[in-house]
Amino acid sequence: MSSIDFFYEDVGKTDIDSSLLVKHIKSLIKGENKKVGEISVIFCSDDYLLRINEEYLNHNYYTDIITFDYCENSFISGDLFISMDRIADNARKFSSTLNKELYRVVFHGLLHLAGYKDKTPEEQALMRLKEDYYLKGIDFDKKNV
């Protein structure tokens, strides 16, 4: 069985079109020759994600995403905890839109689940290329992408 579910912790519901995001999540997973498993996307605040970062990773800093990997075989499964505060700040910092930055971060988490790393400069460059590749398939001029 497969599902992609969205949750909100310590933030209000976003105006993003969740059915469209699901379509793009499935497209990325298919593009990586994987199958959709059980995926939870949890939108949260900086403080909520900081507590997770401290409790599970022993890191005391803000981040835009924490990904918990539950993949088995070729099935992509996991929890993507995403700070909406970081998304908004990054969108401003990189002169992007909120939706485009949100998609980038979701794709980043999915690529981790697909096996990509980002510890070295080479891994980071490949991750960015993959993110950009999948972002190019989306028309961000549409309302609520």
Side-chain angles (χ1 to χ4, degrees):
M1 190 163 133
S2 68
S3 70
I4 301 170
D5 298 302
F6 299 95
F7 302 95
Y8 301 86
E9 295 291 343
D10 205 26
V11 295
K13 194 169 183 195
T14 67
D15 66 347
I16 194 160
D17 184 336
S18 58
S19 62
L20 192 56
L21 181 54
V22 165
K23 175 186 158 193
H24 292 294
I25 288 171
K26 288 180 177 179
S27 178
L28 182 149
I29 291 170
K30 184 178 179 185
E32 293 299 318
N33 296 313
K34 305 287 185 179
K35 297 174 188 162
V36 177
E38 303 292 322
I39 299 170
S40 294
V41 180
I42 304 98
F43 299 108
C44 59
S45 68
D46 263 351
D47 291 335
Y48 187 92
L49 195 53
L50 178 62
R51 288 190 299 270
I52 290 172
N53 209 5
E54 291 170 336
E55 182 176 344
Y56 293 97
L57 303 175
N58 292 320
H59 296 158
N60 186 17
Y61 54 81
Y62 293 115
T63 187
D64 51 7
I65 184 168
I66 295 176
T67 304
F68 291 96
D69 185 339
Y70 310 127
C71 296
E72 291 185 20
N73 304 314
S74 63
F75 286 90
I76 298 292
S77 296
D79 294 332
L80 307 178
F81 285 87
I82 298 172
S83 168
M84 293 305 293
D85 297 318
R86 289 298 97 220
I87 297 297
D89 284 350
N90 287 343
R92 284 188 295 275
K93 180 179 176 182
F94 299 116
S95 300
S96 186
T97 66
L98 186 71
N99 282 344
K100 189 170 186 178
E101 187 61 22
L102 187 138
Y103 268 78
R104 180 179 296 283
V105 171
V106 168
F107 289 176
H108 184 88
L110 292 169
L111 289 166
H112 275 305
L113 294 177
Y116 293 91
K117 308 288 184 223
D118 61 359
K119 296 296 182 200
T120 69
E122 294 80 15
E123 291 171 340
Q124 291 168 7
L126 178 58
M127 180 76 85
R128 182 52 57 118
L129 280 173
K130 285 288 191 172
E131 290 168 8
D132 289 342
Y133 172 79
Y134 289 109
L135 287 169
K136 284 180 186 167
I138 302 169
D139 181 359
F140 285 101
D141 292 330
K142 287 184 179 179
K143 184 176 175 12
N144 292 336
V145 169

